[in-house]
Amino acid sequence: MDIFKRMTKMGHEQIAYFCDPHSGLRGIVAIHNTILGPALGGCRMWNYATEEEALVDVLRLSKGMTYKAAIAGLNLGGGKAVIIGDSKKEKSEDLFRSFGRFVEGLGGRYITAEDVGTSMKDMEHVRMETNYVTGITKTLGGSGDPSPVTAYGVYVGMKAAIKQKLGRDSLDGLKVSVQGLGHVGTYLSEFLYKDGAELFVTDIHEDAIENVVKKYGGKKVGLDEIYDLDVDVYAPCALGATVNDDTISRLKCSVIAGAANNVLKDPDVHGLEVMKKGMLYAPDYAINAGGLINVSNELGGYNRERAFSQAEGIYDTLMEIFKRSEKDGIATNKASDLQAEDRIKQIGELKSFYLPYKKSFKIRG
Ligand code: NAD
């Protein structure tokens, strides 16, 4: 399919290719939608086998960012960048400064951040060439590690889900399985422990498990055993696609609510299957938006308290999604997409309504 057809089909506004033979930079920025504001999204560095693979990834990821920003109530659009290369071997100061110069050239339509394969240090190099970058270290006035805010958002989102499904206000006495005890999973375990939840935890790294078992009294379970547990909540915080044809029949939980992206292997199919089985799924990009909320706060001068308080809004957002899903008899992931699209449409209409008045006012003045 040609590029313009693809852009029309997925709703993209712009694709920018970057090439700098001097630094070795080869990359693509995709700006999906800027109705709500400038397109914000991380810069992924990955050893894509082909340019086509890189394009497919950046188109998919940038569209996802539009929905995440919209559902989080942010005045931001969706964008993403990919740099083609091996992040273990091909990183350099000039590569990221070169990338920063290209980002600067987009004039603020796209704001970058760290992502898979890039780090805060890389973003410091980007920042030497452009201010259109977030996710900078605390020492440089940035927001630092977003994981605590992400984990808090997942925790309040989980509370919304148990309120909706079980009529409960707290996790006290509920059984929660946490899959993946990395940055987010560990902070989440702490929130859950403090709320009185009984934890069942797993990870591929023994030391990560030991840490959570020791600090928060979690019970260690096997990597595959986690799908068969008799728990109230399953919290995927490691990989995507863990809710699939194999696992749906095994899961016995009432609620699926975690930090991982792309939890449903096939959203159109598995969102409905989860619903039919009587499980409530908290859509991934709505419940894990705390990280985006955190970095977006940097744009107006970072304030940690404000970031946490904005992440608290994830409770109400999820409640609205659950109500819409219930009312219309649609899967929660579908309800979430519609909520996000509605906001973009409404704000878009508002902007197009006021613009002529502003213009004519300026001309007369
Ligand atoms: P992380 O890399 O720090 O942690 C992931 C953990 O999962 C690691 O400890 C890893 O050992 C473990 N793991 C890997 N494979 C596993 C398996 N098969 N079974 C069990 N555990 C396994 O990542 P993170 O920052 O904690 O993010 C977790 C998830 O949340 C990711 O999917 C990420 O994309 C998503 N997310 C993170 C943020 C954030 O702020 N960090 C924001 C939004 C979404």
Side-chain angles (χ1 to χ4, degrees), residues 134-324:
T134 63
I136 299 294
T137 49
K138 279 187 187 166
T139 44
L140 289 174
S143 56
D145 177 13
S147 309
V149 182
T150 304
Y152 185 63
V154 172
Y155 165 63
V156 297
M158 196 184 282
K159 282 177 61 150
I162 59 149
K163 177 75 180 171
Q164 172 75 8
K165 186 74 193 164
L166 307 171
R168 301 269 306 243
D169 289 314
S170 106
L171 283 135
D172 192 18
L174 294 185
K175 293 179 179 161
V176 182
S177 61
V178 184
Q179 179 183 43
L181 303 168
H183 290 91
V184 183
T186 301
Y187 285 115
L188 176 65
S189 298
E190 184 179 354
F191 288 122
L192 296 172
Y193 164 75
K194 286 183 177 161
D195 205 0
E198 191 183 342
L199 300 177
F200 297 83
V201 297
T202 193
D203 197 288
I204 50 173
H205 295 300
E206 274 304 316
D207 51 346
I209 301 178
E210 268 169 38
N211 175 43
V212 171
V213 167
K214 207 165 117 196
K215 283 190 188 153
Y216 313 124
K219 182 174 181 289
K220 176 186 163 178
V221 298
L223 288 174
D224 191 56
E225 187 192 353
I226 195 153
Y227 300 112
D228 300 312
L229 298 178
D230 202 351
V231 290
D232 300 289
V233 183
Y234 160 55
C237 297
L239 318 157
T242 58
V243 174
N244 52 46
D245 286 341
D246 169 46
T247 59
I248 290 178
S249 57
R250 296 165 63 187
L251 289 168
K252 299 181 187 72
C253 55
S254 304
V255 163
I256 300 171
N261 284 309
N262 308 314
V263 168
L264 303 174
K265 186 167 185 196
D266 181 343
D268 289 338
V269 174
H270 298 125
L272 267 176
E273 280 187 16
V274 163
M275 185 172 89
K276 281 188 200 146
K277 219 190 145 188
M279 297 186 284
L280 184 66
Y281 168 63
D284 45 15
Y285 68 84
I287 196 170
N288 75 15
L292 178 63
I293 288 172
N294 193 57
V295 291
S296 74
N297 255 275
E298 247 179 74
L299 302 172
Y302 187 64
N303 176 327
R304 198 160 181 77
E305 225 172 282
R306 187 178 58 205
F308 271 96
S309 118
Q310 259 183 293
E312 211 153 315
I314 289 174
Y315 185 99
D316 290 338
T317 303
L318 282 183
M319 276 303 187
E320 282 164 22
I321 292 169
F322 296 149
K323 299 282 181 248
R324 185 167 192 162

